[in-house]
Amino acid sequence: MPALPIVRYPDPRLNTMAAPVEVFNASLRALAADLADTMREAPAIGITAPHVGVLQRLVLLRLTPEETPHAYVNPSIVWASDERLRHTEGSVSLPGVTEEVERHARVRISYRDLDGNEQTEDADGFRAVCHQHEIDQL
């Protein structure tokens, strides 16, 4: 699959709320595969469909090079711990720009997989931070 061009700030699509995915088909799986290639080429540990100009609620995360990218469709945070932590974050749409951000230390997310099946995931530490960052990008 080809890597897609990344939308750069201040493109207005980055400030537009992404629509929920309603159709789970081969086109969605192809977009996820293209996002995975784009994320590898960037390189990045997370990417959203809006980062490539597609205004749909699709996130891919791959926290280590050995990890297979995991797709999260229509993700939302359904629980967050009171405990917080600070972490330096960046974005593929703002290369070279980072900022220290405070996030919840643990979260539970609800999402659908690429086949439309409902899923939940508990995450803590760095993974929790990444989920929050990417969901904020939608």
Side-chain angles (χ1 to χ4, degrees), residues 57 61 72 74-83 103-112 118-125 127-132 135:
R57 294 183 58 81
L61 285 180
Y72 300 87
N74 300 332
S76 64
I77 297 169
V78 296
W79 174 84
S81 67
D82 290 334
E83 180 186 356
R103 301 276 188 189
H104 298 280
R106 291 179 307 284
V107 296
R108 176 172 297 127
I109 64 162
S110 173
Y111 68 99
R112 292 186 181 267
E118 291 186 24
Q119 307 285 332
T120 59
E121 181 179 312
D122 290 330
D124 62 3
R127 183 170 291 278
V129 165
C130 292
H131 277 303
Q132 293 168 81
I135 289 171

Side-chain angles (χ1 to χ4, degrees), residues 29-106:
R29 286 185 288 283
L31 174 59
D34 289 347
L35 281 173
D37 289 341
T38 305
M39 185 172 57
R40 281 186 204 96
E41 188 175 291
I45 59 173
I47 195 164
T48 67
H51 283 130
V52 297
V54 177
L55 297 178
Q56 290 191 305
R57 294 183 58 81
L58 173 61
V59 171
L60 264 70
L61 285 180
R62 181 187 71 146
L63 303 188
T64 67
E66 301 79 32
E67 191 176 331
T68 300
H70 188 88
Y72 300 87
V73 182
N74 300 332
S76 64
I77 297 169
V78 296
W79 174 84
S81 67
D82 290 334
E83 180 186 356
R84 315 252 316 164
L85 52 86
R86 296 186 72 72
H87 194 275
T88 301
E89 299 182 8
S91 172
V92 296
S93 292
L94 281 163
V97 177
T98 60
E99 183 174 1
E100 191 167 302
V101 178
E102 186 173 286
R103 301 276 188 189
H104 298 280
R106 291 179 307 284

